[in-house]
Amino acid sequence: MHALEMKQICKAFEENSVLKNVDFTVKKGVVHALLGMNGAGKSTLMKILSGDYQPDSGKIFLSGKEVSFSSPQDAKTSGIGILVQEVDTSLFPELPVFENLADMPNEDFLISVSRQKSNAIKLVNSIGLSIKVEQLVQDCSLQEKQLILLAKILSSSSDLIILDEPTAPLSQSETSVLFNIIKMLKKSGTAIIYISHRLSEIKEICDSVTILRDGVTAYTNSVAATDIPVMIKEMTGSQSGLKGAAGKSSVNEEKLSLKVRNLSIPQKQTAVDFTVHSGEIVGIAGLVGAGKTELAQALYGLSGEKVSLEVEGKAVSVSSPSDAISAGICLIPEERRRQGLFIKHSVAENITSQILKKLSAAGWVNNRKQRNEAEGLMKQLTITPQSTSIAARYLSGGNQQKVVIGKWLKTDSSVYLFDEPTKGIDIAAKQEVFDIIGSLAKSGKSILYFTSEWQELLEVADRILIMYNGKMVKELSCRETSLEEIIYYASGGDQSGTNRTSDNKETYERKSSSVSI
């Protein structure tokens, strides 16, 4: 029996038609993948299902019964749970974990707190999360927040669960735990909608797949009958693949743009040394927890300590983002909605936020100049829809990411820090981000590309520095390395600092093949 039927769903924002008579069906006890390029309509369709938006037309049926939702609470009451990509929007950061996991307190406050803590401990243990339930959510890591929200959904006994990019912040072991939970839910008859840009995961965990393209249902089939090239073709309308960064290998070996010596990473109690040349794209690879984000934050003045650097040959001291920006360092953060955007403000306000002084006189922003600058940047970056007034929250993930990048393009930044820049965006948007990075490198900018998507580094970077447990353990040339070698060192393999040779090739291949990634 069908757990969900959405029939002829239509939705538009202003003059932008996002969903056009979309049909979407999910059976009970099935993991159904929902795929599509950024802007295809996936998020809008799921926001309608979860009560955030109301459709302009169309009908929704749960277990054969027609329903309509005027709020997320209505959807929750009807048995729909959602694990959103931006977890901070669904948690209360200033409350402890146990209160976030609580449903409703009992009349007796003391008994309620005791029961809340007891239930919370059972829930976090059930998903393999080692955390004190008294800890404030704002002090938890991104992957811990993701698992907390998953535990909250599980506690609600939902009949239909929406998982939006659920593994994006998770380690491999945490992903394995999630997949085991999904298999358990399937056996209990729960229907699951699984949204991800990691197509190998779709093949591993999903039973069926629906692909949206340009707001319409383009493809529905079993996953077994749909290989990855077919998924890409149906999402893009053509056979498509990543081509790397346009402008790669524009390194000026004679000019150092960034020199880092003994830079402290307080969270790891370690220090690192490295350099970046003008026009060079340096990948920083590592597993979740290796220290990549902490390094990016330290370079941007967010570590709480004063950092001494050389930028364009000049000694600088960075202890705040303001210092970093003045030194010519900018950050495209991992959590774009929370850290990179004023999510409720317009695209124009966001994309010009770093050049307001140039657009202002006597403390007032010239709206015409701001709009013209925004329109130029949006055209340059192919941001859609082409409306400077639309709020950033209504853009797809890929277009939001281009806004975050775009706000730095008219500044004097010489060093760009990209922290997981392709997280949660589709193949076409990834290619656009790669092209932007390549253009920046070609113009002489220096790029640090922090990612756990290692295959991307082989396509984007000139050189790769591998982090393990807060330390730089290996330097690799993209022309001479392989994905297997990156996996080997990033997973804590031989850290002697010597390159693999033909004499130890057999040992290397045996070790790398045993690594679980």
Side-chain angles (χ1 to χ4, degrees), residues 207-227:
D207 304 299
S208 50
V209 56
T210 291
I211 297 173
L212 301 185
R213 186 171 69 242
D214 298 328
V216 300
T217 307
Y219 181 88
T220 295
N221 207 338
S222 71
V223 168
T226 310
D227 59 21

Side-chain angles (χ1 to χ4, degrees), residues 4 23-27 29-36 42 45-46 160-166 182 186 191-212 217-224 226 231 235:
L4 168 71
D23 292 326
F24 181 58
T25 301
V26 182
K27 295 179 180 179
V30 162
V31 183
H32 195 112
L34 178 61
L35 304 181
K42 305 184 303 298
L45 186 66
M46 291 301 97
L160 173 67
I161 296 176
I162 304 164
L163 301 178
D164 189 359
E165 296 288 348
I182 289 173
K186 275 181 59 176
I192 297 170
I193 300 171
Y194 194 96
I195 303 170
S196 178
H197 293 298
R198 299 181 177 185
L199 300 183
S200 60
E201 289 183 359
I202 302 302
K203 293 293 290 182
E204 180 178 354
I205 198 65
C206 296
D207 304 299
S208 50
V209 56
T210 291
I211 297 173
L212 301 185
T217 307
Y219 181 88
T220 295
N221 207 338
S222 71
V223 168
T226 310
M231 293 181 195
M235 283 192 291

Side-chain angles (χ1 to χ4, degrees), residues 38 42 84-88 141-146 164-171 195-198 288 292-293 332-339 396-402 404-405 418-427 429-431 433-434 437 449-453 456:
N38 279 294
K42 305 184 303 298
V84 295
Q85 187 179 150
E86 305 295 340
V87 292
D88 287 295
S141 67
L142 178 58
Q143 54 263 40
E144 287 171 341
K145 292 174 186 176
Q146 184 88 334
D164 189 359
E165 296 288 348
T167 64
L170 302 183
S171 67
I195 303 170
S196 178
H197 293 298
R198 299 181 177 185
V288 173
K292 304 186 305 299
T293 292
I332 291 83
E334 178 180 7
E335 298 183 64
R336 57 179 169 267
R337 287 177 62 93
R338 189 168 69 88
Q339 299 172 326
S396 67
N399 284 302
Q400 286 179 356
Q401 187 72 315
K402 286 187 281 185
V404 177
I405 299 169
F418 285 83
D419 190 6
E420 299 288 358
T422 63
K423 175 181 166 184
I425 66 176
D426 63 42
I427 291 170
K430 284 182 182 181
Q431 185 62 60
V433 169
F434 288 175
I437 290 172
Y449 191 103
F450 302 80
T451 186
S452 52
E453 298 286 348
E456 293 180 3

Side-chain angles (χ1 to χ4, degrees), residues 63-352:
S63 298
K65 180 181 178 181
E66 185 174 353
V67 295
S68 62
F69 307 132
S70 60
S71 70
Q73 185 59 42
D74 284 350
K76 182 179 178 182
T77 302
S78 296
I80 295 174
I82 180 167
L83 179 64
V84 295
Q85 187 179 150
E86 305 295 340
V87 292
D88 287 295
T89 63
S90 296
L91 295 170
F92 299 98
E94 296 180 356
L95 294 180
V97 172
F98 76 87
E99 288 193 54
N100 273 272
L101 291 174
D103 228 2
M104 291 290 290
N106 293 323
E107 293 180 5
D108 188 324
F109 177 74
L110 293 177
I111 294 177
S112 174
V113 169
S114 175
R115 288 180 179 173
Q116 286 175 1
K117 288 184 178 181
S118 176
N119 290 337
I121 290 171
K122 291 178 183 177
L123 281 170
V124 298
N125 287 342
S126 71
I127 58 171
L129 180 58
S130 299
I131 191 173
K132 290 184 178 180
V133 297
E134 294 83 7
Q135 181 174 327
L136 297 181
V137 165
Q138 66 187 11
D139 296 329
C140 297
S141 67
L142 178 58
Q143 54 263 40
E144 287 171 341
K145 292 174 186 176
Q146 184 88 334
L147 293 171
I148 289 166
L149 187 54
L150 176 62
K152 186 175 179 66
I153 293 168
L154 294 177
S155 70
S156 66
S157 301
S158 300
D159 299 317
L160 173 67
I161 296 176
I162 304 164
L163 301 178
D164 189 359
E165 296 288 348
T167 64
L170 302 183
S171 67
Q172 183 63 28
S173 61
E174 290 164 340
T175 297
S176 296
V177 170
L178 172 63
F179 283 4
N180 287 334
I181 292 171
I182 289 173
K183 292 172 184 176
M184 175 191 71
L185 290 169
K186 275 181 59 176
K187 289 181 180 179
S188 70
T190 302
I192 297 170
I193 300 171
Y194 194 96
I195 303 170
S196 178
H197 293 298
R198 299 181 177 185
L199 300 183
S200 60
E201 289 183 359
I202 302 302
K203 293 293 290 182
E204 180 178 354
I205 198 65
C206 296
D207 304 299
S208 50
V209 56
T210 291
I211 297 173
L212 301 185
R213 186 171 69 242
D214 298 328
V216 300
T217 307
Y219 181 88
T220 295
N221 207 338
S222 71
V223 168
T226 310
D227 59 21
I228 288 176
V230 170
M231 293 181 195
I232 294 172
K233 180 178 181 295
E234 294 297 338
M235 283 192 291
T236 63
S238 63
Q239 199 71 28
S240 177
L242 297 175
K243 301 177 182 177
K248 183 180 171 182
S249 300
S250 52
V251 183
N252 182 349
E253 298 283 0
E254 304 299 319
K255 182 181 178 183
L256 274 182
S257 182
L258 176 66
K259 185 176 182 180
V260 176
R261 288 290 178 265
N262 201 34
L263 185 149
S264 172
I265 304 178
Q267 302 93 325
K268 298 293 182 181
Q269 296 184 329
T270 55
V272 298
D273 299 336
F274 62 93
T275 58
V276 186
H277 292 88
S278 176
E280 186 176 26
I281 303 171
V282 175
I284 307 292
L287 296 168
V288 173
K292 304 186 305 299
T293 292
E294 290 85 351
L295 173 56
Q297 290 175 342
L299 290 168
Y300 196 61
L302 292 170
S303 67
E305 295 192 0
K306 184 178 289 186
V307 173
S308 296
L309 308 167
E310 283 188 27
V311 180
E312 300 294 328
K314 179 182 177 182
V316 297
S317 181
V318 173
S319 57
S320 69
S322 178
D323 291 341
I325 293 169
S326 297
I329 300 172
C330 66
L331 172 67
I332 291 83
E334 178 180 7
E335 298 183 64
R336 57 179 169 267
R337 287 177 62 93
R338 189 168 69 88
Q339 299 172 326
L341 293 167
F342 301 108
I343 198 66
K344 295 182 180 179
H345 290 253
S346 71
V347 172
E349 290 170 308
N350 274 279
I351 207 165
T352 62

